[in-house]
Amino acid sequence: MAQKDSKAKHKTLFSKDSLSFLKAYINTASPVGFESSGQKVWLNYIKDYVDTTFTDPYGTAVGVINSDAPFRVVIEAHADEISWFVNYINDQGLIYLKRNGGVDHQIAPAMRVIIHGRKGPVKAVFGWPAIHTRHSSPDAKEPQPKPDNLFLDCGARNKKEVEALGIHIGSVVTYQDGFDELANNYFIGRAMDNRVGGFMIAEVARLIKQNKSKLPFGLYVVNAVQEEIGLRGAEMIARRIKPNIAIVTDVTHDTTTPMINKIIEGDIACGKGPALAYAPAIHNKLLSFVEGIADKKKIPVQWRTLSRSTGTDTDSFAYANDGCPSVLISIPLRYMHTTVEMLHRDDIENTIRLMYETVTALTPATNLRYL
Ligand SMILES: [Zn+2]
């Protein structure tokens, strides 16, 4: 057994289609509140690995294995990506925006974007004054990008021309940058937060199918909408499913890059495995069950602490209904909420492995009692 395990460690668990699904999924814009395009890609991939799928009124997508079982376990990620809303169009045809989720204004100048208008996608750029022209007087300070001085230029020279392109107040805007690979098995892309999570839970379903694993409960593979504006999709679907256990995955910060204080943010690095968090919302017994699995299966893990809130869908599941034992398994990521969110392939595989081994070891009889 041990020998087989250590051999398996060096073998990828991805299928030949896994990474093309990840690329296609990352490259499909799924802005907060408008996640349907990404959800279609996700459902199309997962449908072969689950018994049934369903969606809720706001577009959370769920794949179910053993839908008749009374005991219900959720594995969850969020589907939405941070974006912008068209808020005001001026007489020169320049477009001002409002944030839709925690999109980072500091990275916006000179970025290429897609405006999702009524007539389909429209290309545009974040304009920014040239280095030569941005000093209005010799002692003026450099302007800093802020939501109220950032604007889009789509080539239209008045409001009418903007509207003729199908752009309207409320059109959603996403960055163009997509999936790419760097040296040493690093992947980059926008919205790895948290579509890598959607990818990982789908891969868990695929492994269950491929390995013909029998589960003594109903498994709900949940890709929730609207996390970035307050964990709302998870809140809705937790009430609908009423799970007995929830295993949530999201991204967390690699804290080893410059200008991050480890004293505050903890010590987490890409390539060293999924991060497990301690927090009141994280169920102690479920967490120690997951730690036991990591130990037994020799999956590297890292630890961090959170307190009042985890800032992830874990909070929605834990506090939904009458209390649902929940655990958070996070994947380390660099440069969160930029277009170059970076993570390591080994962490993706180890997070999938940890979720898969946990799900296949759990039973309705697993003792999660505190007292
Ligand atoms: Zn996020």
Side-chain angles (χ1 to χ4, degrees):
M1 268 306 273
Q3 219 177 2
K4 208 173 155 195
D5 269 349
S6 64
K7 227 171 129 193
K9 244 170 78 180
H10 301 287
K11 216 181 94 200
T12 179
L13 50 74
F14 296 146
S15 76
K16 68 174 187 5
D17 296 330
S18 298
L19 290 181
S20 50
F21 161 58
L22 175 62
K23 281 176 209 173
Y25 188 42
I26 291 294
N27 290 342
T28 307
S30 291
V32 192
F34 304 83
E35 298 89 349
S36 306
S37 311
Q39 295 292 61
K40 280 182 197 155
V41 173
W42 187 82
L43 280 167
N44 189 48
Y45 182 76
I46 200 175
K47 68 178 184 339
D48 296 336
Y49 310 124
V50 292
D51 301 336
T52 53
T53 62
F54 70 89
T55 57
D56 84 351
Y58 278 83
T60 287
V62 184
V64 192
I65 297 170
N66 302 335
S67 53
D68 293 337
F71 195 90
R72 293 177 295 280
V73 175
V74 157
I75 54 173
E76 196 257 13
H78 73 85
D80 53 314
E81 87 175 77
I82 50 172
S83 52
W84 301 87
F85 266 133
V86 171
N87 190 46
Y88 168 67
I89 304 163
N90 77 6
D91 294 340
Q92 286 76 47
L94 300 175
I95 300 164
Y96 286 82
L97 306 170
K98 184 172 272 190
R99 257 195 274 263
N100 187 24
V103 67
D104 189 344
H105 52 274
Q106 287 208 13
I107 65 152
M111 288 292 233
R112 295 167 194 226
V113 300
I114 299 284
I115 306 174
H116 303 270
R118 281 206 180 94
K119 297 181 183 169
V122 180
K123 289 181 185 173
V125 296
F126 270 99
W128 194 246
I131 188 166
H132 322 68
T133 63
R134 62 185 175 235
H135 294 284
S136 47
S137 72
D139 15 73
K141 271 205 254 151
E142 286 261 50
Q144 294 302 312
K146 290 179 295 205
D148 64 2
N149 67 9
L150 285 166
F151 60 90
L152 295 182
D153 190 336
C154 66
R157 283 298 156 260
N158 56 55
K159 196 171 171 180
K160 260 212 169 90
E161 286 183 11
V162 173
E163 286 167 350
L165 292 167
I167 298 166
H168 58 93
I169 303 304
S171 290
V172 176
V173 178
T174 51
Y175 293 115
Q176 285 191 27
D177 306 57
F179 183 93
D180 212 341
E181 290 179 45
L182 302 185
N184 301 321
N185 287 318
Y186 277 99
F187 296 159
I188 56 165
R190 60 160 227 289
M192 287 289 185
D193 169 14
N194 176 231
R195 291 218 288 280
V196 74
F199 169 72
M200 294 189 299
I201 57 175
E203 288 297 276
V204 172
R206 185 179 62 75
L207 290 177
I208 288 167
K209 178 87 175 188
Q210 175 193 298
N211 299 341
K212 300 188 172 66
S213 312
K214 290 274 170 267
L215 302 176
F217 49 75
L219 182 69
Y220 292 70
V221 186
V222 175
N223 207 2
V225 297
Q226 300 195 25
E227 187 269 354
E228 296 287 0
I229 47 100
L231 325 178
R232 297 305 199 180
E235 190 181 316
M236 292 184 259
I237 202 70
R239 291 197 195 113
R240 184 174 294 266
I241 297 172
K242 297 187 174 54
N244 299 89
I245 290 173
I247 299 164
V248 174
T249 187
D250 205 334
V251 295
T252 187
H253 303 286
D254 174 325
T255 61
T256 62
T257 56
M259 293 175 278
I260 302 177
N261 185 348
K262 286 187 187 172
I263 293 171
I264 294 164
E265 303 293 343
D267 193 2
I268 300 288
C270 283
K272 292 190 174 172
L276 299 174
Y278 281 83
I282 311 276
H283 195 277
N284 301 333
K285 287 282 185 82
L286 185 56
L287 175 60
S288 74
F289 185 83
V290 175
E291 287 172 336
I293 297 287
D295 198 39
K296 203 166 123 199
K297 299 289 174 181
K298 300 192 167 47
I299 300 167
V301 287
Q302 313 176 70
W303 285 271
R304 63 200 187 105
T305 49
L306 299 158
S307 181
R308 184 171 288 270
S309 89
T310 70
T312 70
D313 283 343
T314 316
D315 302 338
S316 289
F317 278 95
Y319 302 133
N321 306 305
D322 41 8
C324 167
S326 301
V327 71
L328 173 61
I329 303 177
S330 306
I331 180 163
L333 172 141
R334 292 180 165 199
Y335 323 122
M336 198 185 294
H337 286 200
T338 75
T339 53
V340 291
E341 293 184 333
M342 181 189 295
L343 31 74
H344 199 278
R345 180 182 170 136
D346 288 354
D347 293 331
I348 303 178
E349 297 206 35
N350 281 324
T351 307
I352 295 167
R353 204 171 272 133
L354 185 55
M355 283 194 285
Y356 171 78
E357 297 294 353
T358 300
V359 164
T360 51
L362 271 173
T363 79
T366 303
N367 182 8
L368 298 177
R369 293 176 72 93
Y370 270 9
L371 305 165

